[in-house]
Amino acid sequence: MNDELVEKIKANPNYQTLIKKRTGFAIKLGIFVLVMFYAYILTIAFDPTVLGAKTGDGVMTIAFPIAAAIIIISFFTTLIYVRRANGEFEDLIEKVRKDVKDEL
Amino acid sequence: MFRILALISIFSIALFAAGDASFEATKRELNIPAIIMFFIFVGGTLVITYWAAKRTKSASDFYTAGGGISGFQNGMAIAGDYMSAASFLGISGLVYLSGYDGLIYAVGFLVGWPVILFLMAEKLRNLGKFTFTDIAAYRLGQKEIRTLAAFGSLAVVTLYLIAQMVGSGKLIQVLFGLEYEYAVILVGVMMIIYVTFGGMLATTWVQIIKAILLLSGVSFMGFMVLQHFGFSFEALATKAVDSHAKGQAIMEPGGFISDPISAISLGMALMLGTAGLPHVLMRFFTVGNAKEARKSVVYATGFIGYFYLVIAVIGLGAIVFLNSPEGQQYFVDGKLFGGNNMAAIHLSHVVGGNVFLGFISAVAFATILAVVSGLTLAGASAISHDLYASVINPNASEEQEIRVSKISVIIIGIVGVILGIAFEQQNIAFMVGLAFAIAASANFPILFLSIYWSKLTTRGAFLGGLLGLLTAVVLVIVGPIVWVQILGNAEPLFPYKHPALFSVIIAFVGIWFFSITDKSQRAKDEAKAFEAQKVRAETGFGAAGAVDH
C-alpha cells in the first residue's frame, strides 16, 4: 500500500466513520468487561465474606450466581460485538473497498 | 544476544521446573474398556494425520492449515486448546478440594476472551501471516523483534509443555498401569508423529474432535450428577456442604488469594496472559478473514464458558459421590487414588461405569495430546519462521523452512519428554500460572503497543519487552515459591507469588521510555509506517487471502 493510497483511505468518510464507531464501541465494551472482572477480583481480595452472603435459607451463596453471571455476560459481550462488527462495520469496510478498488 | 537469551531461557526453565510434588500416582490393574477406547482414538487420529499429511504441501498448509478453516471449526479448535488437562482435571480437582476458589480461575481464564476480541483478533488476522511475531515485526526491525518474541514464545511454550507432559504421564500411569517414563515417551512420540506429518491441519482436526468428545463427556457427567438431585443445583450444593470437611466454607471464596496485591496480580496474568499465548494467537491465522476470526472467538467463548459451568457441577458432584460410602473404593490409605486431580476421572466411573471411565480416559489423553501438539507447532514456528527464515537465513526457500520446522518439532518433542521425566515431581498449576505471567509480561505489551501506538520503536519494543521478560522471571525466582519452598531460604526477597502486576507495568513503562527517547532516523521511519499499518489492521486491505499467504 503506497502513501498516496493510505492518505486517500484515511480521508474517506466511510473509513473515518468506521474508525470512530468501532474504536468507541470496542473501548466501551472493553471497559465494561474490565470493570466487571476487577470488581469481582477486588471483592475477593479485600472482603471475600461479601460473596459468602446467603441467597436464601439454604447453603447457596451469591458467589456462585455471580461467577456464572460473569461467564455468561462475557459470552454475550463477545456476541454483541461480533454481530455489529460482522454487520455494520464490515459493510463500512466494503464501501471503502469499493471507493478505492482500482488502486488496491 | 542469541546465546544470552537462550541461556536465560534454559536457566529459568530448569529452576522453575524443580517445584514441589503435585500428586502421587501409583499403578493400577489393567482397565480393558479404557484401553479399547484408547486404541480406537489413537487409530482415528492417525487416520486424520494420514489424510492431513497428503494435503499438507506448502508452508501455509503446515503452519495455518492453508487458512481454510471456518469460524465455527476454529472456535472449536480454540476451545480444544483451552480445555486442557489443567482446565478439565485441574479446575474440577480444585473445586473438589476447596470448593468455590476453583471457579475464580475459571472466571479469570474466560474474561480474557472478550478482551482479545475487542483489541486483537481481527487486527491479528489482518496483519499476520504465520505467527503473532509477524505483527510485532510488521514495521519494526525484523531481527531484534523476532528474536525477542521468538524467545518469549519458546519460554511460554516450554513451561506449558512441561506441565502438560507431566500431567499426561501421571494420567496414563493411573489409567493404563503403564510406567511413568513410558507414558511420557508415548505422548512425545505420538505428538511428533501428528505434528511433523499432519502439521496444523491434523492438529486442528484432532483438536476439534477432542473438543466435541470432551464437551459430550462432561455434559453426560453433569447431567448424571444433576439428575441424582432432581436437577436442583441447590440440593447438590446442600449435599456437598454436608459431605465436605470444610462445610459451608466451600461455598465462598477465601482460600488461595489472601492479599489484594496477589489478587490483582493474578487477575492481570490470567486476563492479559490469554492475549499473549502463542499457540492460541496462531489460531487466528487458520481462518480466511477477520469476519471468521471474530466468529471463532464467539464460538470459543461459548464452548469454554459452558465447559466451566459444567465443571462447577462436576466438582461439587465429586465432593458428594467420592465422599460417600461407595466412593471409598477410590481412596488408597485415605488419599484419593492418583491425587486430587483425578476427582473427575473417578466421578466418571461412579456415574457411567467402566465403559464411560474408558471414554473419559481416552478423551483426557486426547486432550493432552492435542494441546501438546498445538504448543509444539507454535514453538516450532517460532524457531523456523521467526528465527530461521527471518533472522538466520532470510533467503530460505519454503521447503527449507518446513524442514527446519519439522526438525524443531522433533527436538521440542525430545526436550519435552526429557524435561517431563526429569521434573516428574513439579507443580503443574504453578507452571501454567507462570506461563501466563510470562505471556502477559513479555508478549502482550509488545503486541498491544505495536498495534495501537504509532511512536513505538524497535529499541523501545526490544528493551522494554526484555525488561518485562526478565522482571517476570527474576521476581518468580526471588518470590515465595522458588526462593523459600525450593531454594530453602527463610524469607522471600519478593513477597508475592504472582509477578504480573509489576512485570507488566515495567514492560509498558520500559517500552514507552525507550521509544520516546529514541531520536534516530529509523524511529522516525517506523512512526511514519504506522499509518499504513493501521489502515491495513482496520480494513484488512492487502492482508493475506485464504488460499495464498
Side-chain angles (χ1 to χ4, degrees):
Chain A
M1 220 181 286
N2 58 41
D3 290 351
E4 209 177 307
L5 180 59
V6 169
E7 287 308 316
K8 193 174 168 190
I9 294 173
K10 274 170 65 191
N12 187 303
N14 284 318
Y15 179 77
Q16 289 169 352
T17 314
L18 169 77
I19 300 300
K20 212 176 136 201
K21 281 195 176 169
R22 182 158 72 191
T23 310
F25 190 52
I27 289 175
K28 269 182 222 150
L29 282 179
I31 289 176
F32 169 74
V33 171
L34 284 172
V35 167
M36 175 177 77
F37 179 60
Y38 276 97
Y40 172 74
I41 285 291
L42 292 176
T43 309
I44 291 169
F46 289 102
D47 198 355
T49 53
V50 171
L51 290 170
K54 301 258 179 84
T55 56
D57 300 329
V59 299
M60 188 48 72
T61 57
I62 59 166
F64 277 87
I66 286 176
I70 294 177
I71 288 176
I72 293 165
I73 292 170
S74 295
F75 171 71
F76 280 103
T77 36
T78 58
L79 187 67
I80 290 166
Y81 178 80
V82 169
R83 290 192 79 115
R84 194 161 171 211
N86 279 4
E88 189 187 337
F89 299 152
E90 281 294 324
D91 291 345
L92 282 168
I93 292 173
E94 226 18 72
K95 281 181 190 160
V96 181
R97 191 195 302 274
K98 244 180 217 154
D99 293 339
V100 299
K101 71 172 187 295
D102 296 336
E103 290 138 273
L104 268 180
Chain B
M1 185 175 68
F2 240 65
R3 219 167 277 164
I4 295 169
L5 281 170
L7 271 176
I8 290 168
S9 311
I10 292 165
F11 175 69
S12 53
I13 287 161
L15 251 182
F16 296 136
D20 53 354
S22 51
F23 60 92
E24 277 304 318
T26 40
K27 284 205 287 174
R28 191 185 217 184
E29 71 277 16
L30 284 180
N31 178 342
I32 301 300
I35 291 171
I36 293 171
M37 288 284 183
F38 173 80
F39 279 109
I40 292 173
F41 179 80
V42 169
T45 50
L46 285 173
V47 171
I48 294 171
T49 307
Y50 177 71
W51 165 81
K54 288 205 298 192
R55 274 159 191 77
T56 300
K57 294 186 183 76
S58 65
S60 163
D61 293 333
F62 187 75
Y63 293 127
T64 66
I69 300 291
S70 78
F72 177 78
Q73 291 164 345
N74 194 44
M76 268 287 181
I78 292 175
D81 262 324
Y82 224 63
M83 298 183 294
S84 68
S87 284
F88 174 48
L89 302 177
I91 294 183
S92 59
L94 280 177
V95 175
Y96 166 77
L97 187 68
S98 45
Y100 187 80
D101 276 352
L103 289 186
I104 299 171
Y105 277 81
V107 170
F109 283 137
L110 194 87
V111 293
W113 281 106
V115 177
I116 289 192
L117 173 66
F118 304 151
L119 299 176
M120 328 261 254
E122 54 208 271
K123 292 170 175 82
L124 285 170
R125 182 63 200 87
N126 287 338
L127 292 174
K129 200 175 171 197
F130 295 150
T131 68
F132 85 93
T133 311
D134 291 337
I135 288 108
Y138 192 79
R139 70 187 152 101
L140 303 180
Q142 298 286 322
K143 285 196 175 165
E144 295 93 326
I145 300 302
R146 282 194 192 271
T147 307
L148 177 67
F151 278 102
S153 284
L154 284 173
V156 174
V157 162
T158 312
L159 287 167
Y160 223 104
L161 189 63
I162 297 173
Q164 301 288 344
M165 290 303 251
V166 173
S168 63
K170 293 284 177 188
L171 183 75
I172 292 168
Q173 187 183 16
V174 169
L175 294 170
F176 303 111
L178 210 64
E179 293 288 347
Y180 176 80
E181 288 79 7
Y182 294 123
V184 172
I185 291 170
L186 182 71
V187 174
V189 169
M190 298 214 29
M191 173 196 89
I192 290 171
I193 292 173
Y194 290 157
V195 181
T196 45
F197 291 108
M200 190 53 140
L201 192 58
T203 304
T204 302
W205 279 102
V206 170
Q207 205 63 280
I208 291 171
I209 291 166
K210 164 241 145 163
I212 295 169
L213 293 176
L214 184 58
L215 285 168
S216 322
V218 296
S219 297
F220 176 75
M221 278 166 84
F223 177 84
M224 294 303 277
V225 167
L226 283 174
Q227 191 195 38
H228 194 84
F229 294 94
F231 295 100
S232 162
F233 188 72
E234 173 87 45
L236 167 64
T238 307
K239 186 75 178 134
V241 168
D242 283 348
S243 310
H244 201 287
K246 289 181 189 157
Q248 180 65 27
I250 64 165
M251 299 299 289
E252 49 192 79
F256 340 122
I257 307 174
S258 45
D259 65 286
I261 302 277
S262 295
I264 299 164
S265 198
L266 176 67
M268 209 159 183
L270 293 181
M271 187 185 238
L272 303 183
T274 310
L277 293 178
H279 66 298
V280 171
L281 295 174
M282 205 176 162
R283 293 227 156 267
F284 291 114
F285 308 122
T286 65
V287 292
N289 52 49
K291 218 169 166 173
E292 295 297 316
R294 291 187 203 108
K295 274 191 212 163
S296 63
V297 178
V298 177
Y299 288 118
T301 315
F303 291 129
I304 300 166
Y306 167 76
F307 174 78
Y308 283 149
L309 293 177
V310 181
I311 286 288
V313 171
I314 290 175
L316 291 180
I319 294 175
V320 172
F321 289 106
L322 301 184
N323 288 316
S324 67
E326 297 77 46
Q328 290 315 304
Q329 55 174 309
Y330 304 109
F331 286 83
V332 176
D333 302 331
K335 279 185 181 162
L336 197 60
F337 186 71
N340 289 320
N341 286 332
M342 288 293 146
I345 299 288
H346 294 313
L347 183 67
S348 73
H349 188 245
V350 176
V351 301
N354 267 329
V355 175
F356 186 64
L357 171 70
F359 175 81
I360 283 292
S361 310
V363 172
F365 176 75
T367 296
I368 291 167
L369 204 56
V371 172
V372 162
S373 301
L375 283 168
T376 306
L377 196 58
S381 311
I383 296 173
S384 63
H385 182 65
D386 295 325
L387 290 180
Y388 177 72
S390 304
V391 179
I392 299 171
N393 180 8
N395 300 318
S397 68
E398 209 167 75
E399 287 75 27
Q400 282 176 309
E401 187 177 332
I402 296 181
R403 192 161 64 236
V404 171
S405 194
K406 290 186 173 180
I407 295 168
S408 310
V409 169
I410 296 169
I411 294 170
I412 294 173
I414 294 170
V415 169
V417 168
I418 293 170
L419 292 178
I421 292 172
F423 302 120
E424 184 185 346
Q425 302 301 327
Q426 54 91 28
N427 184 315
I428 296 172
F430 171 62
M431 300 285 287
V432 173
L434 189 71
F436 267 76
I438 290 183
S441 318
N443 299 350
F444 175 76
I446 297 182
L447 197 55
F448 179 80
L449 290 176
S450 70
I451 292 176
Y452 287 99
W453 193 42
S454 63
K455 296 193 176 66
L456 176 74
T457 70
T458 301
R459 188 178 88 165
F462 182 79
L463 292 176
L466 189 61
L467 271 179
L469 179 65
L470 291 177
T471 310
V473 169
V474 169
L475 289 186
V476 169
I477 293 174
V478 299
I481 293 181
V482 176
W483 198 252
V484 179
Q485 288 177 23
I486 297 172
L487 298 178
N489 294 295
E491 288 293 322
L493 301 177
F494 175 73
Y496 308 107
K497 282 183 194 168
H498 305 287
L501 177 61
F502 303 92
S503 52
V504 171
I505 290 175
I506 285 175
F508 270 107
V509 171
I511 295 172
W512 169 79
F513 178 78
F514 291 112
S515 289
I516 56 151
T517 53
D518 187 354
K519 303 290 180 206
S520 65
Q521 183 56 41
R522 181 161 87 160
K524 289 190 187 96
D525 294 342
E526 285 163 355
K528 225 177 129 216
F530 179 76
E531 290 300 332
Q533 180 199 302
K534 189 180 173 195
V535 168
R536 174 161 154 175
E538 297 283 356
T539 61
F541 297 164
V547 187
D548 186 31
H549 270 284

